[in-house]
Amino acid sequence: MVEIELDGQKVEVLEGSMVMHAAEKAGTYIPHFCYHKKLSIAANCRMCLVDVEKAPKPMPACATPVTQGMIVRTKSDKAIKAQQSVMEFLLINHPLDCPICDQGGECQLQDLAVGYGGSGSRYEEEKRVVFHKDVGPLVSMQEMSRCIHCTRCVRFGQEVAGVMELGMSHRGEHAEIETFVGQSVDSELSGNMIDICPVGALTSKPFRYSARTWELSRRKSIAPHDSSGANLVVQVKNNEVLRVVPLENEEVNECWIADRDRFSYEALNSADRLRAPMIKQGGEWKEVDWQTALEYVANGLNQISKDHGASSIGALVSPHSTLEELHLASTLVRSLGSDNIDYRLRNAEFAKVEGVRYLGTSIASLTQLQRVLVVGSNLRKDHPLFAQRIRQAQRNGAQVNIITSKALFSAADAWAMAVAHADVQEASGWTQSLANVAAAVAAEKGVSAPAQGHATPEAQAIAKSLLGGDRKAVLLGNAAAHHANASSLLSLAKWIADQTGATYGYLTEAANTVGAQWAKAEPQSGGLNAAQMLAGGLKAVLLLNTEPVEDAAAGAKAATALAAMQMVVTLSPFKTNMSFSDVLLPIAPFTETSGSFVNAEGRLQSFHAVVKPLAETRPAWKVLRVLANMLGLPQLAFETSQDVLKQISATPLNLSNACSFEVRLAGHVDTPCVASIYQLDSLVRRAPSLQLTADARNANESAKAFAEGVHA
């Protein structure tokens, strides 16, 4: 530790720290633009100049290392005058367009100009003009004349997103931030550049000119897409969600969010929203009141139960639904006398497990890993925030090893991080590849392998990597979870992890995959699984927040099976499943209901509604409670969602990846069903800006080509 004096206060900081870090620890604010706690130090802006005793001139606080006994003054005349001079320089070329700037009200330059700027400028020359740029549907670079060349966006791309999409060309007054030869910004984390830009150079294209920041109410929420459980601030005006930004939580998402968390709110205000209950009569959809719709459903379920037995009724539920909704759906189905409920629509294997499958470690620990093996994942696109953490680990020397397919790892830079060893195989070969790694580990340790494997050069390289280092993890991705031989992959991952001292677990797919297991939204005693339900055999099914054609491994075949049923009830915020549904019930998306999600590490996070439900929309937990009441099921008589959570919490969350499955080195298996980044759930599928991104366009083209090939 090194002790310095800062404005008369003694401060102890780690050796190698900068004066800025000491100031942060002491709670002293030093004005700055280019410095950001999560990025490397550039010292471009010089706004953080401070007075260091015995130094011949003011020194930048962000780039001046502390020394024992150093005396620093941040408020002396020398420091203030230096900061004022820098501000004068920065304002020479800055346009006078605050009244129309989207950054107005939350602009660092604006704030510091008040404190350090002069009432006039000594410079009378014409201000420079930088030509606007079109870099894609999410980030606006229409007013690059505002740029102060802090290079935060450039460093973010290189260091956090892993992709250098922006760079600075030319020098001096002619310097510009731009993409390479007219390319677009396509990173799945690109929206964070908007947040870290200290001026109005980079702004949100979908939000542009929608509202002033001081007109917005700010409410906390949780991201409903992937399993990171990112903390959000949802900004609202006139009961309409207009913007979503990150809420800092170092243990979960740090200060970042993925683009799908940021821009999916567009779907909430889309024309596709279901505003009132609807019933299909004579092939025509008609709006009805809630009483009529629920009576229709209750009478239909009672009749089908009477005619065909309760086991002919089932429910397909989404792991993007809240914990409370999933628990009530599960309780409702079982109260009717059925065990047919499942959230695993994309799975190909449905082995019975004892514990709740999860990440196997904390999310924060991913940043500290020294060795990692990822199996069956497109890490960067499936879990952008997890990828970001592993990228930081790799930058600090960690070795990243992968076993995945060519489609999920198309090139050496596909994950925007350096990969130490890659065994690229089609899904049929993953079990054998993992068995080969196990065989190589067994040979190194002198123990017997769990399955017949061959210590191939790739397997030996991965094994040698995993046997080194201290902090290690074996992580199974979405494709591994949905694999036809998923239980064998888990057994092999467990064996390898046990032998190498690593943790092991799943990069769980959805916001509430862990919660769905806790809520027992899967068969417990011989009920039909999702694949069996979608293969026919049911007479009635409840579809909770899911679109089986898009969300299920069965794809278009699901529509045929559902159309053959006597009653299909869809609970969704959107007009969907209309070709095979009989009833549509409008339920609230995550912004219009209270609820809870359990993220990949098993962290329970609850949230409140941020806006009132749209039109006749109702929270799903209320709809299920009232439906149960009409069916004469007293088990669901809850007054609030908190009461539902209390009942769930009475059963401990048994997080465990333990398994004792026999390893099967299966032959050919179908390619696992994995959703692309902007097709994961009903919200992102309806967000116009996200559907204009390169990732969405490529996925749609691939799906179209596949469909044409199937029909050819």
Side-chain angles (χ1 to χ4, degrees):
M1 299 293 282
V2 174
E3 186 180 82
I4 71 165
E5 185 182 305
L6 186 83
D7 293 338
Q9 180 184 350
K10 300 287 185 184
V11 185
E12 274 195 356
V13 289
L14 289 170
E15 191 174 352
S17 299
M18 303 296 159
V19 171
M20 184 70 83
H21 301 138
E24 285 178 344
K25 189 173 180 180
T28 300
Y29 179 73
I30 298 176
H32 60 273
F33 292 113
C34 68
Y35 171 77
H36 191 281
K37 63 183 179 181
K38 294 290 182 182
L39 303 176
S40 62
I41 290 165
N44 288 333
C45 71
R46 288 338 229 199
M47 192 65 211
C48 64
L49 292 173
V50 292
D51 180 10
V52 179
E53 194 167 280
K54 296 181 180 177
K57 59 183 181 180
M59 304 294 286
C62 68
T64 303
V66 295
T67 57
Q68 184 63 38
M70 177 187 273
I71 298 172
V72 180
R73 301 179 185 89
T74 68
K75 304 287 189 297
S76 68
D77 283 347
K78 187 177 179 181
I80 297 293
K81 281 180 181 174
Q83 292 161 1
Q84 287 174 338
S85 298
V86 171
M87 179 56 69
E88 188 175 8
F89 275 114
L90 286 174
L91 293 176
I92 289 172
N93 276 314
H94 201 80
L96 298 172
D97 62 351
C98 291
I100 62 156
C101 180
D102 252 13
Q103 195 82 357
E106 50 188 16
C107 175
Q108 276 183 258
L109 186 72
Q110 208 173 45
D111 294 342
L112 293 180
V114 172
Y116 301 90
S119 56
S121 175
R122 288 178 283 176
Y123 297 87
E124 295 179 356
E125 293 86 352
E126 286 186 5
K127 294 180 182 285
R128 69 169 193 157
V129 176
V130 180
F131 192 71
H132 65 81
K133 302 167 180 69
D134 187 358
V135 295
L138 305 179
V139 180
S140 171
M141 295 180 73
Q142 291 296 303
E143 284 89 15
M144 290 306 292
S145 297
R146 299 170 185 162
C147 178
I148 60 170
H149 304 149
C150 69
T151 68
R152 277 186 179 184
C153 54
V154 179
R155 286 174 285 146
F156 171 84
Q158 287 177 295
E159 298 164 18
V160 180
V163 186
M164 188 175 174
E165 295 179 299
L166 296 178
M168 188 151 63
S169 60
H170 313 300
R171 300 186 68 183
E173 188 178 63
H174 304 290
E176 285 187 41
I177 300 291
E178 55 188 348
T179 58
F180 180 74
V181 196
Q183 289 184 349
S184 55
V185 173
D186 297 318
S187 160
E188 60 286 346
L189 296 169
S190 65
N192 293 292
M193 292 192 234
I194 299 164
D195 293 335
I196 63 173
C197 180
V199 296
L202 303 180
T203 54
S204 168
K205 224 177 218 183
F207 176 69
R208 197 169 158 81
Y209 300 141
S210 297
R212 286 300 196 179
T213 179
W214 54 84
E215 300 173 322
L216 301 170
S217 305
R218 289 160 173 79
R219 292 147 195 184
K220 297 177 183 177
S221 192
I222 305 296
H225 305 298
D226 63 38
S227 59
S228 60
N231 292 201
L232 310 176
V233 175
V234 181
Q235 300 184 351
V236 176
K237 181 184 177 184
N238 297 334
N239 206 50
E240 186 178 333
V241 176
L242 291 183
R243 189 164 65 162
V244 175
V245 295
L247 175 64
E248 188 170 343
N249 186 334
E250 202 61 30
E251 296 298 309
V252 180
N253 56 301
E254 300 176 87
C255 55
W256 317 119
I257 56 173
D259 285 352
R260 61 184 169 198
D261 300 330
R262 185 184 300 272
F263 297 109
S264 64
Y265 74 87
E266 286 185 293
L268 302 170
N269 311 317
S270 71
D272 209 21
R273 283 291 302 270
L274 181 61
R275 294 169 179 266
M278 298 179 81
I279 293 177
K280 190 188 284 182
Q281 293 180 335
E284 296 289 322
W285 283 100
K286 295 181 180 178
E287 288 191 359
V288 295
D289 58 59
W290 271 104
Q291 184 73 17
T292 304
L294 291 174
E295 281 180 358
Y296 183 89
V297 174
N299 292 336
L301 292 177
N302 277 329
Q303 192 61 47
I304 289 168
S305 181
K306 186 178 174 182
D307 295 344
H308 304 282
S311 59
S312 65
I313 299 171
L316 293 167
V317 298
S318 168
H320 299 277
S321 300
T322 67
L323 186 61
E324 293 81 355
E325 292 164 3
L326 292 167
H327 176 73
L328 288 178
S330 163
T331 307
L332 174 67
V333 170
R334 293 197 172 93
S335 300
L336 286 169
S338 173
D339 191 40
N340 305 328
I341 182 168
D342 210 345
Y343 73 92
R344 302 165 296 176
L345 275 74
R346 293 191 177 99
N347 280 30
E349 187 194 80
F350 301 88
K352 180 72 175 162
V353 298
E354 294 177 11
V356 171
R357 302 294 192 229
Y358 77 118
L359 186 62
T361 183
S362 68
I363 291 172
S365 70
L366 297 178
T367 315
Q368 307 302 321
L369 290 175
Q370 295 176 336
R371 301 287 189 274
V372 60
L373 170 60
V374 182
V375 182
S377 176
N378 181 352
L379 184 64
R380 179 182 165 194
K381 303 299 180 182
D382 292 347
H383 300 93
L385 293 176
F386 293 170
Q388 183 274 132
R389 284 189 178 271
I390 292 173
R391 191 173 294 119
Q392 303 313 309
Q394 188 272 320
R395 285 174 58 83
N396 290 326
Q399 291 182 9
V400 180
N401 308 287
I402 65 170
I403 297 173
T404 194
S405 66
K406 190 175 180 180
L408 301 172
F409 185 76
S410 54
D413 60 347
W415 287 9
M417 67 180 82
V419 172
H421 309 289
D423 189 353
V424 181
Q425 302 274 349
E426 291 311 304
S428 298
W430 293 350
T431 316
Q432 187 62 63
S433 291
L434 211 51
N436 293 345
V437 173
V441 170
E444 285 284 334
K445 298 200 70 175
V447 297
S448 57
Q452 186 65 41
H454 310 283
T456 61
E458 293 90 349
Q460 287 177 331
I462 294 172
K464 189 175 179 181
S465 173
L466 288 175
L467 286 164
D470 295 322
R471 298 178 297 277
K472 298 171 266 194
V474 180
L475 302 172
L476 300 171
N478 295 351
H482 303 161
H483 197 277
N485 203 11
S487 56
S488 295
L489 290 173
L490 179 61
S491 290
L492 288 165
K494 178 184 184 301
W495 190 91
I496 293 167
D498 290 345
Q499 293 297 321
T500 58
T503 62
Y504 68 101
Y506 285 100
L507 296 159
T508 53
E509 180 183 42
N512 217 12
T513 299
V514 175
Q517 298 171 74
W518 192 15
K520 293 184 170 55
E522 57 190 324
Q524 300 295 303
S525 54
L528 300 179
N529 60 47
Q532 291 167 331
M533 283 189 264
L534 289 172
L538 291 182
K539 297 297 179 183
V541 67
L542 298 175
L543 302 176
L544 176 60
N545 204 24
T546 186
E547 298 168 301
V549 174
E550 304 283 349
D551 292 333
K557 294 176 184 175
T560 308
L562 290 162
M565 297 181 189
Q566 286 187 28
M567 176 177 274
V568 176
V569 182
T570 292
L571 294 86
S572 172
F574 304 103
K575 293 175 183 173
T576 186
N577 302 337
M578 298 183 81
S579 63
F580 49 76
S581 293
D582 299 290
V583 186
L584 298 181
L585 301 177
I587 61 167
F590 79 106
T591 51
E592 298 170 20
T593 182
S594 56
S596 311
F597 293 134
V598 185
N599 70 1
E601 68 178 11
R603 182 186 294 261
L604 173 67
Q605 300 184 109
S606 296
F607 55 91
H608 295 287
V610 300
V611 291
K612 294 175 184 173
L614 180 72
E616 291 298 306
T617 297
R618 297 290 182 268
W621 72 267
K622 287 187 178 181
V623 175
L624 292 166
R625 183 196 67 187
V626 176
L627 180 59
N629 188 48
M630 288 185 169
L631 290 164
L633 306 173
Q635 298 92 327
L636 282 78
F638 299 100
E639 291 298 317
T640 65
S641 64
Q642 285 78 11
D643 292 340
V644 185
L645 184 60
K646 276 181 192 172
Q647 188 179 84
I648 302 165
S649 302
T651 305
L653 175 57
N654 176 28
L655 294 171
S656 172
N657 294 317
C659 62
S660 53
F661 303 116
E662 186 181 343
V663 176
R664 294 180 295 108
L665 299 177
H668 178 75
V669 298
D670 291 335
T671 302
C673 175
V674 182
S676 66
I677 184 169
Y678 299 130
Q679 296 295 328
L680 182 63
D681 58 71
S682 57
L683 278 174
V684 294
R685 286 196 281 269
R686 288 170 173 83
S689 297
L690 292 178
Q691 294 307 312
L692 292 172
T693 59
D695 281 322
R697 292 197 313 273
N698 293 339
N700 292 335
E701 285 168 11
S702 299
K704 187 179 176 184
F706 177 77
E708 288 171 353
V710 169
H711 294 306

